[in-house]
Amino acid sequence: MTRIARLIRHVAALGLVGLAAWAAAGPALGAEAYPLNDDPLTSGRTAWFREAKFGMFIHWGLYAVPAGVWKGKEIDGIGEWIMNNAKIPIPEYEPLAKEFNPVKFDAKEWARIAKDAGMRYMVITSKHHDGFSMFKTALAPYNIVDATPYGKDPMKPLSEACRAAGLKFCFYHSILDWHHPDQQTDFPKYVDYMKGQLKELVTQYGPLGILWFDGQWVGPWTDQDGRDLYAYVRGLQNDIVINNRVGRGGPGDYETPEQSIPAGAIKGRLWETCMTLNDTWGFKTNDHHWKPAAEVVQKLADIASKGGNFLLNVGPDAEGVIPAESVRILGEVGKWMKTSGDAIYGTTQSPWRRHPWDGRATVKGKTLYLHVFKWPEGGLQVAGLRGDLVSVKPLDPAVASVKHEWAREGEGEGMVLHVAVPEKPDPADTVIAVTFKEPPGLDTASLVIRQAEDGTVALKALDATPQGDRIQYESDKDCLGFWLDAKDWVSWDFVVAKPGEFEVRVTWACDKGSGGAEYVVAVADQSVKGKVEETGSWTEFRTASLGTVRIEKAGKCTLAVKALTKPGMGVMNLRSVLLEPKR
Ligand code: FHN
């Protein structure tokens, strides 16, 4: 019986024939149907997720026993990958279960640590790639109750402690499984096993917030498998939230950038950055590379200013203890959240793509939250604001009330807010709440790219408007990348005060074997053509002139870069376009 037929029989048995028909429909429905026709961006199902903003990730399993060391040797890489990285055969890895006895595990303490950090949900590994189940499962004896001296199910008390603390309880589950024989020999049978375990997880620990899938890259897993699994899990608990790793790049309900923060909001998608506090997800004795609390706070503000959630990881040890360093850092973050959490919870993205001060902004209702990481000497100056101002005050009562001025900006519509440096600014992020009579507006004129004094117009990747589904700003390379679809393109709006003739200078990178794409730069009803030369890699950038264009009159302009052909994998990584006045 095919997987689809099996699914139809199974889901129909649940009286969800419609869902079964949908799941069987396969690609015909297109990706938009993946979240079952309720847009996660606005669905009531995700309201708690959009409010919560900050969660605890927990990687806990047998890998905490070796804790990064195998046969006396330090094993490189993330701790939960030790079975793979140390090439440990299954018969040598399985006995770790006999050493796993987390007698110090305290569910209420873990929930307290998360709550006191200001976290609102917890995602814990039910089964990682090593295939060991950290919960009581009837489907495999290789689990914490049946295979360890501990002999108890920690997930039951943990789910209860989370709920008592007001946290959403969620599971991580790996599709990839290095232990289960069927993953290699009979994949459909393995999928049945996985679905059986997911049914245990979704129905035996109370309603879950998220099923956080991972390991979707495993060979035989297809996008259709992802669709089926998404529909199956939603059939078990319809309001559950499911991440995008349920499928091979399939959308799921939200994106999951890992160990990185996107340059800006991910267009049309909810998203959540997951990150380690040190450099490993699973516990490693010798990983002491901890992120300072101030860095965590600023990352949280950065993520919230782009409309995302932050899932921050702890890796408990084999005794069931969250490392003291993690607890200390999270405690400091919690102190900041206690006074300034209003500027994070339930907020939406900043009106700025690039903030004209060292900090960020978030918005909630009629309040604009200005996050100041480092105060300019003369105080903070924020131009282009619109609206009837009601109040300007620091969120942290320990930061004395701030002197501020509110003045019209020249003859423009916008207003300028000037905030004096407070007596005791927060070392990580001082939040100033600016409340208006209506939701704050920003005079977009303050966002437009202007010609520099020397006449040049610098059009940078970060300020571009990517047009299309794949092309996007890559912060680590400071370029517009993922230009995998020739139909995608990019544009900039800018204002020219001094018209004239300009040299068009493009800065790009292109990997070996992907060169040759033809493209056009169009501005002011003219265009110049280019052909992408390989520069050696996607991060080796080069600048070249494409020729000249003439901008006849002052005022607003739009410059567009469009691909005409794409012989290779990508068009190019585009870092900037510079319009340089012809001398
Ligand atoms: O391989 C896993 C890894 O062990 C860890 O679980 C991270 C957390 O998101 N996910 C995978 C790597 O992308």
Side-chain angles (χ1 to χ4, degrees), residues 154-177:
M155 302 303 169
K156 205 63 123 197
L158 190 57
S159 62
E160 289 156 2
C162 280
R163 279 187 200 96
L167 301 170
K168 279 278 187 184
F169 183 69
C170 317
F171 278 124
Y172 162 112
H173 198 75
S174 174
I175 298 165
L176 170 64
D177 187 316

PDB file of all heavy atoms in Angstrom, residues 154-177:
ATOM      1  N   PRO A 154      10.828  11.957  32.062  1.00  0.00           N
ATOM      2  CA  PRO A 154      10.958  13.352  32.508  1.00  0.00           C
ATOM      3  C   PRO A 154       9.979  14.298  31.818  1.00  0.00           C
ATOM      4  O   PRO A 154       9.680  15.380  32.322  1.00  0.00           O
ATOM      5  CB  PRO A 154      12.391  13.697  32.140  1.00  0.00           C
ATOM      6  CG  PRO A 154      12.704  12.820  30.964  1.00  0.00           C
ATOM      7  CD  PRO A 154      11.932  11.561  31.167  1.00  0.00           C
ATOM      8  N   MET A 155       9.447  13.869  30.687  1.00  0.00           N
ATOM      9  CA  MET A 155       8.635  14.790  29.891  1.00  0.00           C
ATOM     10  C   MET A 155       7.272  15.048  30.521  1.00  0.00           C
ATOM     11  O   MET A 155       6.712  16.127  30.390  1.00  0.00           O
ATOM     12  CB  MET A 155       8.473  14.271  28.465  1.00  0.00           C
ATOM     13  CG  MET A 155       9.778  14.058  27.753  1.00  0.00           C
ATOM     14  SD  MET A 155      10.762  15.594  27.706  1.00  0.00           S
ATOM     15  CE  MET A 155      12.322  14.968  27.125  1.00  0.00           C
ATOM     16  N   LYS A 156       6.794  14.055  31.240  1.00  0.00           N
ATOM     17  CA  LYS A 156       5.495  14.239  31.903  1.00  0.00           C
ATOM     18  C   LYS A 156       5.607  15.382  32.931  1.00  0.00           C
ATOM     19  O   LYS A 156       4.938  16.396  32.809  1.00  0.00           O
ATOM     20  CB  LYS A 156       5.110  12.923  32.560  1.00  0.00           C
ATOM     21  CG  LYS A 156       3.643  12.657  32.784  1.00  0.00           C
ATOM     22  CD  LYS A 156       2.799  12.570  31.574  1.00  0.00           C
ATOM     23  CE  LYS A 156       2.046  11.270  31.441  1.00  0.00           C
ATOM     24  NZ  LYS A 156       1.572  11.097  30.068  1.00  0.00           N
ATOM     25  N   PRO A 157       6.500  15.256  33.941  1.00  0.00           N
ATOM     26  CA  PRO A 157       6.592  16.338  34.929  1.00  0.00           C
ATOM     27  C   PRO A 157       7.021  17.660  34.309  1.00  0.00           C
ATOM     28  O   PRO A 157       6.587  18.733  34.745  1.00  0.00           O
ATOM     29  CB  PRO A 157       7.630  15.830  35.935  1.00  0.00           C
ATOM     30  CG  PRO A 157       8.338  14.697  35.289  1.00  0.00           C
ATOM     31  CD  PRO A 157       7.405  14.129  34.273  1.00  0.00           C
ATOM     32  N   LEU A 158       7.821  17.588  33.251  1.00  0.00           N
ATOM     33  CA  LEU A 158       8.281  18.842  32.637  1.00  0.00           C
ATOM     34  C   LEU A 158       7.120  19.559  31.943  1.00  0.00           C
ATOM     35  O   LEU A 158       6.965  20.777  32.068  1.00  0.00           O
ATOM     36  CB  LEU A 158       9.412  18.568  31.652  1.00  0.00           C
ATOM     37  CG  LEU A 158      10.151  19.796  31.107  1.00  0.00           C
ATOM     38  CD1 LEU A 158      10.741  20.648  32.233  1.00  0.00           C
ATOM     39  CD2 LEU A 158      11.261  19.374  30.132  1.00  0.00           C
ATOM     40  N   SER A 159       6.286  18.778  31.272  1.00  0.00           N
ATOM     41  CA  SER A 159       5.132  19.424  30.601  1.00  0.00           C
ATOM     42  C   SER A 159       4.208  20.053  31.649  1.00  0.00           C
ATOM     43  O   SER A 159       3.704  21.163  31.475  1.00  0.00           O
ATOM     44  CB  SER A 159       4.375  18.403  29.758  1.00  0.00           C
ATOM     45  OG  SER A 159       3.857  17.360  30.579  1.00  0.00           O
ATOM     46  N   GLU A 160       4.039  19.363  32.774  1.00  0.00           N
ATOM     47  CA  GLU A 160       3.180  19.905  33.844  1.00  0.00           C
ATOM     48  C   GLU A 160       3.807  21.155  34.474  1.00  0.00           C
ATOM     49  O   GLU A 160       3.139  22.164  34.696  1.00  0.00           O
ATOM     50  CB  GLU A 160       2.919  18.819  34.896  1.00  0.00           C
ATOM     51  CG  GLU A 160       1.988  17.720  34.380  1.00  0.00           C
ATOM     52  CD  GLU A 160       2.159  16.377  35.106  1.00  0.00           C
ATOM     53  OE1 GLU A 160       2.984  16.316  36.055  1.00  0.00           O
ATOM     54  OE2 GLU A 160       1.493  15.400  34.699  1.00  0.00           O
ATOM     55  N   ALA A 161       5.120  21.105  34.698  1.00  0.00           N
ATOM     56  CA  ALA A 161       5.793  22.261  35.324  1.00  0.00           C
ATOM     57  C   ALA A 161       5.744  23.473  34.405  1.00  0.00           C
ATOM     58  O   ALA A 161       5.553  24.610  34.842  1.00  0.00           O
ATOM     59  CB  ALA A 161       7.245  21.895  35.649  1.00  0.00           C
ATOM     60  N   CYS A 162       5.870  23.217  33.109  1.00  0.00           N
ATOM     61  CA  CYS A 162       5.810  24.337  32.152  1.00  0.00           C
ATOM     62  C   CYS A 162       4.436  24.979  32.183  1.00  0.00           C
ATOM     63  O   CYS A 162       4.303  26.193  32.284  1.00  0.00           O
ATOM     64  CB  CYS A 162       6.122  23.837  30.738  1.00  0.00           C
ATOM     65  SG  CYS A 162       7.879  23.624  30.435  1.00  0.00           S
ATOM     66  N   ARG A 163       3.427  24.154  32.135  1.00  0.00           N
ATOM     67  CA  ARG A 163       2.065  24.715  32.138  1.00  0.00           C
ATOM     68  C   ARG A 163       1.803  25.470  33.432  1.00  0.00           C
ATOM     69  O   ARG A 163       1.244  26.555  33.439  1.00  0.00           O
ATOM     70  CB  ARG A 163       1.031  23.592  31.932  1.00  0.00           C
ATOM     71  CG  ARG A 163       0.904  23.238  30.492  1.00  0.00           C
ATOM     72  CD  ARG A 163      -0.191  22.274  30.110  1.00  0.00           C
ATOM     73  NE  ARG A 163       0.195  21.746  28.809  1.00  0.00           N
ATOM     74  CZ  ARG A 163       0.838  20.596  28.665  1.00  0.00           C
ATOM     75  NH1 ARG A 163       1.099  19.826  29.721  1.00  0.00           N
ATOM     76  NH2 ARG A 163       1.214  20.175  27.476  1.00  0.00           N
ATOM     77  N   ALA A 164       2.278  24.923  34.539  1.00  0.00           N
ATOM     78  CA  ALA A 164       2.064  25.606  35.834  1.00  0.00           C
ATOM     79  C   ALA A 164       2.788  26.960  35.843  1.00  0.00           C
ATOM     80  O   ALA A 164       2.353  27.921  36.478  1.00  0.00           O
ATOM     81  CB  ALA A 164       2.581  24.726  36.965  1.00  0.00           C
ATOM     82  N   ALA A 165       3.883  27.052  35.060  1.00  0.00           N
ATOM     83  CA  ALA A 165       4.647  28.307  35.031  1.00  0.00           C
ATOM     84  C   ALA A 165       4.172  29.230  33.912  1.00  0.00           C
ATOM     85  O   ALA A 165       4.759  30.299  33.679  1.00  0.00           O
ATOM     86  CB  ALA A 165       6.133  27.988  34.840  1.00  0.00           C
ATOM     87  N   GLY A 166       3.147  28.787  33.191  1.00  0.00           N
ATOM     88  CA  GLY A 166       2.607  29.635  32.117  1.00  0.00           C
ATOM     89  C   GLY A 166       3.404  29.569  30.832  1.00  0.00           C
ATOM     90  O   GLY A 166       3.328  30.460  29.992  1.00  0.00           O
ATOM     91  N   LEU A 167       4.184  28.482  30.674  1.00  0.00           N
ATOM     92  CA  LEU A 167       4.992  28.323  29.456  1.00  0.00           C
ATOM     93  C   LEU A 167       4.304  27.316  28.536  1.00  0.00           C
ATOM     94  O   LEU A 167       3.747  26.322  28.995  1.00  0.00           O
ATOM     95  CB  LEU A 167       6.388  27.768  29.805  1.00  0.00           C
ATOM     96  CG  LEU A 167       7.280  28.560  30.755  1.00  0.00           C
ATOM     97  CD1 LEU A 167       8.488  27.723  31.141  1.00  0.00           C
ATOM     98  CD2 LEU A 167       7.709  29.866  30.127  1.00  0.00           C
ATOM     99  N   LYS A 168       4.385  27.547  27.209  1.00  0.00           N
ATOM    100  CA  LYS A 168       3.931  26.557  26.246  1.00  0.00           C
ATOM    101  C   LYS A 168       4.969  25.430  26.203  1.00  0.00           C
ATOM    102  O   LYS A 168       6.183  25.705  26.119  1.00  0.00           O
ATOM    103  CB  LYS A 168       3.839  27.194  24.853  1.00  0.00           C
ATOM    104  CG  LYS A 168       2.564  27.991  24.631  1.00  0.00           C
ATOM    105  CD  LYS A 168       1.407  27.107  24.259  1.00  0.00           C
ATOM    106  CE  LYS A 168       0.181  27.928  23.878  1.00  0.00           C
ATOM    107  NZ  LYS A 168      -0.996  27.085  23.604  1.00  0.00           N
ATOM    108  N   PHE A 169       4.520  24.187  26.259  1.00  0.00           N
ATOM    109  CA  PHE A 169       5.440  23.047  26.198  1.00  0.00           C
ATOM    110  C   PHE A 169       5.455  22.514  24.777  1.00  0.00           C
ATOM    111  O   PHE A 169       4.389  22.325  24.154  1.00  0.00           O
ATOM    112  CB  PHE A 169       4.971  21.947  27.171  1.00  0.00           C
ATOM    113  CG  PHE A 169       5.880  20.755  27.241  1.00  0.00           C
ATOM    114  CD1 PHE A 169       7.138  20.853  27.813  1.00  0.00           C
ATOM    115  CD2 PHE A 169       5.492  19.526  26.707  1.00  0.00           C
ATOM    116  CE1 PHE A 169       7.997  19.755  27.881  1.00  0.00           C
ATOM    117  CE2 PHE A 169       6.342  18.419  26.765  1.00  0.00           C
ATOM    118  CZ  PHE A 169       7.597  18.535  27.345  1.00  0.00           C
ATOM    119  N   CYS A 170       6.656  22.286  24.248  1.00  0.00           N
ATOM    120  CA  CYS A 170       6.796  21.901  22.829  1.00  0.00           C
ATOM    121  C   CYS A 170       7.859  20.815  22.686  1.00  0.00           C
ATOM    122  O   CYS A 170       8.776  20.732  23.504  1.00  0.00           O
ATOM    123  CB  CYS A 170       7.228  23.104  21.991  1.00  0.00           C
ATOM    124  SG  CYS A 170       6.388  24.655  22.368  1.00  0.00           S
ATOM    125  N   PHE A 171       7.728  20.027  21.614  1.00  0.00           N
ATOM    126  CA  PHE A 171       8.740  18.982  21.361  1.00  0.00           C
ATOM    127  C   PHE A 171       9.509  19.256  20.075  1.00  0.00           C
ATOM    128  O   PHE A 171       8.912  19.680  19.073  1.00  0.00           O
ATOM    129  CB  PHE A 171       8.073  17.603  21.225  1.00  0.00           C
ATOM    130  CG  PHE A 171       7.759  16.926  22.529  1.00  0.00           C
ATOM    131  CD1 PHE A 171       6.453  16.527  22.816  1.00  0.00           C
ATOM    132  CD2 PHE A 171       8.758  16.680  23.468  1.00  0.00           C
ATOM    133  CE1 PHE A 171       6.145  15.886  24.023  1.00  0.00           C
ATOM    134  CE2 PHE A 171       8.464  16.041  24.673  1.00  0.00           C
ATOM    135  CZ  PHE A 171       7.154  15.653  24.954  1.00  0.00           C
ATOM    136  N   TYR A 172      10.785  18.945  20.116  1.00  0.00           N
ATOM    137  CA  TYR A 172      11.651  18.802  18.933  1.00  0.00           C
ATOM    138  C   TYR A 172      11.618  17.319  18.588  1.00  0.00           C
ATOM    139  O   TYR A 172      11.646  16.470  19.481  1.00  0.00           O
ATOM    140  CB  TYR A 172      13.061  19.248  19.315  1.00  0.00           C
ATOM    141  CG  TYR A 172      14.186  18.794  18.388  1.00  0.00           C
ATOM    142  CD1 TYR A 172      14.880  19.701  17.617  1.00  0.00           C
ATOM    143  CD2 TYR A 172      14.561  17.444  18.286  1.00  0.00           C
ATOM    144  CE1 TYR A 172      15.928  19.300  16.771  1.00  0.00           C
ATOM    145  CE2 TYR A 172      15.587  17.035  17.452  1.00  0.00           C
ATOM    146  CZ  TYR A 172      16.255  17.958  16.695  1.00  0.00           C
ATOM    147  OH  TYR A 172      17.275  17.552  15.862  1.00  0.00           O
ATOM    148  N   HIS A 173      11.545  16.973  17.289  1.00  0.00           N
ATOM    149  CA  HIS A 173      11.614  15.560  16.902  1.00  0.00           C
ATOM    150  C   HIS A 173      12.414  15.435  15.619  1.00  0.00           C
ATOM    151  O   HIS A 173      12.137  16.149  14.647  1.00  0.00           O
ATOM    152  CB  HIS A 173      10.204  14.984  16.700  1.00  0.00           C
ATOM    153  CG  HIS A 173      10.166  13.485  16.736  1.00  0.00           C
ATOM    154  ND1 HIS A 173      10.281  12.772  17.919  1.00  0.00           N
ATOM    155  CD2 HIS A 173      10.059  12.561  15.751  1.00  0.00           C
ATOM    156  CE1 HIS A 173      10.232  11.463  17.660  1.00  0.00           C
ATOM    157  NE2 HIS A 173      10.101  11.314  16.353  1.00  0.00           N
ATOM    158  N   SER A 174      13.410  14.550  15.627  1.00  0.00           N
ATOM    159  CA  SER A 174      14.274  14.399  14.451  1.00  0.00           C
ATOM    160  C   SER A 174      13.735  13.345  13.496  1.00  0.00           C
ATOM    161  O   SER A 174      13.480  12.203  13.906  1.00  0.00           O
ATOM    162  CB  SER A 174      15.698  14.007  14.867  1.00  0.00           C
ATOM    163  OG  SER A 174      16.468  13.745  13.703  1.00  0.00           O
ATOM    164  N   ILE A 175      13.564  13.711  12.236  1.00  0.00           N
ATOM    165  CA  ILE A 175      13.168  12.744  11.194  1.00  0.00           C
ATOM    166  C   ILE A 175      14.359  11.820  10.918  1.00  0.00           C
ATOM    167  O   ILE A 175      14.215  10.621  10.794  1.00  0.00           O
ATOM    168  CB  ILE A 175      12.712  13.502   9.924  1.00  0.00           C
ATOM    169  CG1 ILE A 175      11.486  14.363  10.242  1.00  0.00           C
ATOM    170  CG2 ILE A 175      12.419  12.547   8.768  1.00  0.00           C
ATOM    171  CD1 ILE A 175      11.171  15.416   9.191  1.00  0.00           C
ATOM    172  N   LEU A 176      15.535  12.383  10.918  1.00  0.00           N
ATOM    173  CA  LEU A 176      16.785  11.618  10.748  1.00  0.00           C
ATOM    174  C   LEU A 176      17.004  10.753  11.988  1.00  0.00           C
ATOM    175  O   LEU A 176      16.818  11.216  13.117  1.00  0.00           O
ATOM    176  CB  LEU A 176      17.954  12.594  10.580  1.00  0.00           C
ATOM    177  CG  LEU A 176      19.369  12.033  10.625  1.00  0.00           C
ATOM    178  CD1 LEU A 176      19.610  11.083   9.450  1.00  0.00           C
ATOM    179  CD2 LEU A 176      20.382  13.187  10.587  1.00  0.00           C
ATOM    180  N   ASP A 177      17.344   9.488  11.787  1.00  0.00           N
ATOM    181  CA  ASP A 177      17.510   8.568  12.925  1.00  0.00           C
ATOM    182  C   ASP A 177      18.643   7.604  12.595  1.00  0.00           C
ATOM    183  O   ASP A 177      18.520   6.758  11.711  1.00  0.00           O
ATOM    184  CB  ASP A 177      16.195   7.788  13.137  1.00  0.00           C
ATOM    185  CG  ASP A 177      16.213   6.935  14.410  1.00  0.00           C
ATOM    186  OD1 ASP A 177      17.245   6.268  14.657  1.00  0.00           O
ATOM    187  OD2 ASP A 177      15.212   6.968  15.155  1.00  0.00           O
TER     188      ASP A 177
END
